[in-house]
Amino acid sequence: MNAGIIGLGRYVPEKVVTNFDLEKIMDTSDEWIRTRTGIEERHFAADNQETSDLAVAAAKDAIAKAGITPEEIGLILVATVTQDQTFPSVACMVQEQIGAVNAAAMDQAAACAGFIYSLVTAKQFVESNAYKYVLVVGVEKLSKVINWEDRNTAVLFGDGASAAIVGPVSEGRGILSFELGADGTGGKHLYLTQQDTIAMNGREVFKFAVRQMGESAVNVLDKAGLTKEEVDFLIPHQANIRIMESARERLALPAEKMSKTIHKYGNTSAASIGISLVEELEAGKIKDDDLLVLVGFGGGLTWGAVALRWGK
Ligand SMILES: CC(C)(COP(=O)(O)OP(=O)(O)OC[C@H]1O[C@@H](n2cnc3c(N)ncnc32)[C@H](O)[C@@H]1OP(=O)(O)O)[C@@H](O)C(=O)NCCC(=O)NCCS
């Protein structure tokens, strides 16, 4: 049996903060941010909106799209590094608020690679017949950990949530192969400080990401016995347009075959791949039986990719 995505949802908070808004509060410019990162604006949660609120909204959307009931969900995995509080987990908060009374629940912390890590975890539980449906949520409220004194990082991040129902799909469809990886020696390049703010060595992370995104994308194709020419769409983690372009070039794909939502949302960490996937589906760019490559990297350092044949 193959596990795949049978429903997808997303939630992005209303408040939009443009590069021009940031120009007013720090020494930066729209031109610098756009040309170095591809970001034009990002969304920030309201003060009274917590990570779990974003997660619940995306989860409800995914459940409705999948056409299942919350009671049918056996496990909830929430990929996040910006929990409301250390415990209870965001996953337990989601479980309560959507009424998934039969579900086990836990958070998973793999930073921006979190959505891929949780998708792959979900696949194991579905394919081993332990649970029929697993709810995966990638969610961050990064606005609460931004260091506003540090222009190197403050301009990069946004808030948002995406969710997927992972369940059984027909033969030949679903998650065909995956790669997960970690390199703890690079943890010092991207982390949360004792003051709960983001610290990053941008150049080191950039070098790592350019190398790893392309490599992981190629590896999952090899593992599935597929070639670059067969790829219909690349959904990369939306951290920096130059990093995304390097992965696209590695797969020799034309620009229109790569998802780009970074200009609207910035880097939403664990939420970004799912948000992009929803947007491409809604735009009608992904059809049944299309071959997708989802690939991400993040703090840890972590990385992950899946080759996914779309459709139920
Ligand atoms: C952060 C990043 C955009 C910086 O781009 P870069 O081309 O490497 O820029 P540099 O670090 O070389 O900085 C160039 C200059 O811009 C300045 N600068 C940094 N942030 C700035 C900002 N927001 N506005 C204006 N200038 C800025 C720097 O101070 C530096 O000035 P200097 O040369 O006078 O010291 C890039 O390194 C990056 O994207 N790294 C990966 C980050 C990432 O993906 N993180 C998330 C992982 S999930």
Side-chain angles (χ1 to χ4, degrees):
M1 187 221 296
N2 256 9
I5 296 175
I6 64 160
L8 264 175
R10 122 196 93 156
Y11 175 78
V12 180
E14 268 172 44
K15 185 180 175 189
V16 176
V17 176
T18 67
N19 292 346
F20 297 105
D21 294 328
L22 296 183
E23 280 183 1
K24 292 178 200 146
I25 58 167
M26 67 176 69
D27 182 16
T28 189
S29 68
D30 171 62
E31 203 268 336
W32 191 96
I33 303 170
R34 250 185 317 105
T35 53
R36 300 285 176 129
T37 71
I39 299 165
E40 293 169 24
E41 56 190 39
R42 69 287 289 141
H43 292 238
F44 283 165
D47 290 342
N48 64 354
Q49 256 180 332
E50 256 305 336
T51 301
S52 59
D53 299 314
L54 313 185
V56 167
K60 285 182 175 169
D61 189 16
I63 292 166
K65 298 269 171 51
I68 64 165
T69 64
E71 292 81 4
E72 291 177 273
I73 297 169
L75 175 66
I76 299 172
L77 301 172
V78 174
T80 187
V81 289
T82 48
Q83 299 92 328
D84 298 29
Q85 55 202 80
T86 310
F87 67 91
S89 63
V90 176
C92 283
M93 295 174 181
V94 171
Q95 192 248 14
E96 184 205 357
Q97 291 184 54
I98 65 172
V101 291
N102 298 311
M106 65 172 162
D107 291 351
Q108 293 189 303
C112 304
F115 191 74
I116 303 284
Y117 263 73
S118 294
L119 264 189
V120 171
T121 310
K123 169 183 161 75
Q124 313 310 317
F125 282 107
V126 170
E127 292 184 359
S128 65
N129 258 320
Y131 301 116
K132 186 168 182 194
Y133 298 118
V134 179
L135 166 63
V136 168
V137 182
V139 59
E140 304 291 359
K141 185 179 172 182
L142 290 161
S143 57
K144 70 178 175 184
V145 294
I146 287 174
N147 176 1
W148 289 107
E149 305 296 311
D150 178 14
R151 66 177 182 171
N152 290 287
T153 54
V155 301
L156 302 178
F157 301 102
D159 300 338
S162 57
I165 301 292
V166 177
V169 293
S170 47
E171 211 184 317
R173 289 179 172 172
I175 300 169
L176 307 176
S177 64
F178 70 86
E179 172 174 282
L180 297 179
D183 175 9
T185 65
K188 57 184 177 290
H189 299 317
L190 180 54
Y191 61 96
L192 202 64
T193 65
Q194 295 292 332
Q195 290 73 42
D196 279 348
T197 53
I198 296 171
M200 182 178 76
N201 180 336
R203 280 181 203 178
E204 286 300 326
V205 176
F206 192 92
K207 276 193 285 182
F208 151 74
V210 164
R211 186 181 69 246
Q212 200 57 56
M213 290 271 272
E215 213 161 287
S216 294
V218 169
N219 287 347
V220 288
L221 290 173
D222 283 349
K223 284 185 183 180
L226 296 163
T227 63
K228 293 191 272 195
E229 291 70 32
E230 292 172 88
V231 176
D232 294 295
F233 223 82
L234 172 66
I235 318 269
H237 169 48
Q238 310 277 313
N240 181 308
I241 188 68
R242 293 179 289 152
I243 297 171
M244 292 156 55
E245 288 293 349
S246 74
R248 181 175 72 76
E249 282 161 20
R250 185 81 186 267
L251 293 185
L253 289 174
E256 65 273 15
K257 288 195 172 186
M258 181 182 78
S259 178
K260 184 172 95 57
T261 56
I262 188 170
H263 56 294
K264 293 191 282 185
Y265 305 120
N267 180 350
T268 58
S269 186
S272 93
I273 291 176
I275 290 175
S276 279
L277 195 48
V278 174
E279 300 231 337
E280 302 308 344
L281 274 171
E282 287 178 353
K285 292 193 196 158
I286 295 170
K287 309 174 299 298
D288 277 359
D289 291 317
D290 274 356
L291 176 63
L292 315 181
V293 173
L294 280 48
V295 58
F297 68 94
L301 299 166
T302 54
W303 61 90
V306 297
L308 176 70
R309 181 77 67 189
W310 190 253
K312 290 195 197 177

